[in-house]
Amino acid sequence: MGRAGIATRALLQASLVYEAARSGVHAALGVEGAPVLNLARMMAHKTAAVVAMARRMEVAFEKHNVTGLVGEARLAGPGRVVVRTAAGHERIFAARNIVIATGARPMRLPVVALDHRRIIDCSDALALARVPDRLAIAGAGAAGLEIGSIWRRLGSDVTLVAAQERIGDGLDHEIADALRAALERQGLVFHLASDVVGAQMLGEEVRLTLQSADGAIRSRDVDMLVVAIGREPALDGLNLASVGLRHNAGKPLPNQGGRTKAPGVWVIGDAAAGPGLAHRGAEEGIACVEQIAGLPGHVDYGAIPRLLRTRPEVATLGRTEEELVASGVTYKIGRASLASDGTAMSGGDAEGFVKLLVDARTHLILGAHLIGPGAGDMIAELGLAMETSAICEDIARTSHPQQTRSQAVRQAAMDAGGWRMLE
């Protein structure tokens, strides 16, 4: 996980604790008390988490005899990399294999200029010194939803504007609709099928101009605008032409299984095409090194989960129902509500469900879509099932501990097989 991911996770968790205490959601459990928000300390905790993770990586490098060098790198012809350090010194390295893993940077709205004070990007939104009264976010994908959740929990009025008609960038329709309903109950406001077409500074406010799909224009005054419309590969300045590679600005570097057209030059993670997921980049890194070592490295992209750390949490894997319909696959659906789980009920958080999409002929799992507490942990079992070609009956006949949320996964697998137990 990158620095932004760690920072986001830290603030999501801290804001969730604050929200739970402020709302009195645990009063029924006998936990009472009014919290006081210390935003400076919360930000310090976030920074400490980032620093601690960076130090863990340094220790791992030392343990495995990996040399880390901080600086700006560029290619200098086949098998050569030049690194310029912060002190201005340049070092040249020679290698048979070079892996490009430069990550991504936030995309910008052409009609809006960032000033990093009132009109900010995702990184700025993770380091605010105060809670804005009115916060607008351009984008309703993972970054927008998670940032919106953080600041809504801490007290902001949050509005999200997105060109898409559904939140979540490609979520299964039932999951997207359930998530939107849950977030709206929490106070987030959505303007979908709309674009931010202008932003004017008015003293300490920003006047946004929004245009809907039908051409209607309206304005909205806010304290800050966060541009969270996505990320693009950070490939500028690498001197790719020196090894015969070309790429279009903002586009990933073409490759086949990590191999570029340049001999000995590989690309992984956000610099390559694919979902912007840290664990996707990690899997590609493993497969890349395996291939360099002469092993058959491979990444099963259909079994890479996707996670939204909203409340409720969302985790998805494989194909959506819309994709199956479009491809003509005959499938069955297995569902189970988390409301039937003893842990969820006793903990006061029973919102969510599990939805499995199963091949009607083979009973192989084609897609898994979870929404609710613990979704990110539960999805791993379904990823294993897909990797090992387990069928829904294999999960249904596997004992799951009583009073755990994982029982909803088993009940959904039973439901797909047509023999669900009574709840």
Side-chain angles (χ1 to χ4, degrees):
M1 183 183 292
R3 289 175 179 266
I6 298 166
T8 304
R9 180 65 180 270
L11 289 179
L12 280 165
Q13 181 59 33
S15 64
L16 189 61
V17 171
Y18 173 74
E19 179 194 45
R22 185 184 64 167
S23 65
V25 68
H26 295 314
L29 305 179
V31 180
E32 300 178 354
V36 175
L37 175 63
N38 186 328
L39 185 60
R41 184 172 296 177
M42 186 178 290
M43 289 297 173
H45 162 73
K46 175 262 299 184
T47 300
V50 173
V51 171
M53 182 59 71
R55 179 54 190 158
R56 283 185 62 185
M57 293 304 302
E58 292 173 0
V59 171
F61 276 16
E62 295 166 1
K63 180 179 179 181
H64 295 284
N65 298 316
V66 176
T67 300
L69 182 63
V70 178
E72 295 182 359
R74 69 179 186 275
L75 299 170
R80 291 167 65 86
V81 176
V82 176
V83 178
R84 184 180 180 84
T85 66
H89 304 301
E90 289 194 347
R91 295 180 60 181
I92 301 176
F93 295 88
R96 288 191 299 271
N97 291 279
I98 299 169
V99 180
I100 297 173
T102 48
R105 61 180 172 232
M107 295 176 63
R108 298 194 175 187
L109 274 174
V111 297
V112 173
L114 299 180
D115 67 355
H116 300 287
R117 180 173 172 268
R118 293 288 177 183
I119 302 177
I120 63 180
D121 62 20
C122 295
S123 297
D124 299 324
L126 300 175
L128 299 182
R130 66 174 182 84
V131 179
D133 292 329
R134 299 163 300 171
L135 182 69
I137 300 175
L145 294 174
E146 290 180 351
I147 289 171
S149 294
I150 290 169
W151 292 108
R152 178 63 193 134
R153 294 169 190 171
L154 298 181
S156 294
D157 289 334
V158 177
T159 300
L160 294 99
V161 183
Q164 296 79 17
E165 295 184 353
R166 189 175 291 155
I167 69 173
D169 288 344
L171 292 179
D172 182 272
H173 68 101
E174 288 189 63
I175 297 291
D177 291 346
L179 178 60
R180 178 180 175 180
L183 294 178
E184 286 179 333
R185 287 194 295 272
Q186 294 168 32
L188 276 76
V189 176
F190 293 95
H191 292 299
L192 302 181
S194 299
D195 290 304
V196 176
V197 296
Q200 179 184 4
M201 305 297 292
L202 298 175
E204 293 300 303
E205 294 183 335
V206 182
R207 175 158 295 172
L208 302 180
T209 303
L210 311 181
Q211 183 174 17
S212 59
D214 60 7
I217 300 290
R218 56 186 157 178
S219 63
R220 187 178 185 91
D221 293 342
V222 297
D223 297 301
M224 290 184 183
L225 168 67
V226 182
V227 178
I229 58 173
R231 298 175 68 82
E232 61 185 13
L235 294 168
D236 295 340
L238 292 182
N239 195 24
L240 295 171
S242 69
V243 294
L245 293 176
R246 297 178 60 187
H247 83 288
N248 296 321
K251 301 296 183 182
L253 195 58
N255 70 95
Q256 185 66 40
R259 295 177 184 268
T260 69
K261 293 182 179 180
V265 179
W266 305 74
V267 61
I268 63 172
D270 290 335
L277 303 168
H279 47 282
R280 188 264 293 190
E283 293 302 316
E284 290 179 337
I286 293 171
C288 176
V289 172
E290 287 177 332
Q291 292 178 77
I292 289 172
L295 300 172
H298 171 69
V299 178
D300 183 356
Y301 289 96
I304 293 180
R306 192 177 154 208
L307 175 63
L308 291 179
R309 296 184 180 91
T310 48
R311 183 177 66 83
E313 197 169 80
V314 169
T316 68
L317 188 66
R319 288 187 276 180
T320 65
E321 190 171 354
E322 293 91 331
E323 289 171 339
L324 294 179
V325 170
S327 62
V329 175
T330 304
Y331 62 94
K332 299 189 295 182
I333 300 177
R335 290 189 180 87
S337 170
L338 290 180
S340 62
D341 167 58
T343 301
M345 293 296 287
S346 61
D349 192 349
E351 185 175 29
F353 59 89
V354 176
K355 176 181 179 180
L356 298 184
L357 303 173
V358 175
D359 188 292
R361 182 177 60 85
T362 66
H363 291 196
L364 289 169
I365 298 169
L366 303 176
H369 307 277
L370 287 66
I371 181 169
D377 294 318
M378 290 189 286
I379 200 73
E381 174 184 5
L382 295 161
L384 177 62
M386 292 179 70
E387 285 281 11
T388 57
S389 298
I391 61 176
C392 62
E393 282 83 353
D394 292 322
I395 296 175
R397 294 186 181 279
T398 298
S399 178
H400 289 60
Q402 289 285 330
Q403 306 298 315
T404 68
R405 295 187 175 99
S406 68
Q407 282 198 314
V409 175
R410 186 187 190 191
Q411 291 291 332
M414 287 180 169
D415 189 40
W419 53 289
R420 183 172 173 181
M421 296 175 64
L422 294 176
E423 295 181 355

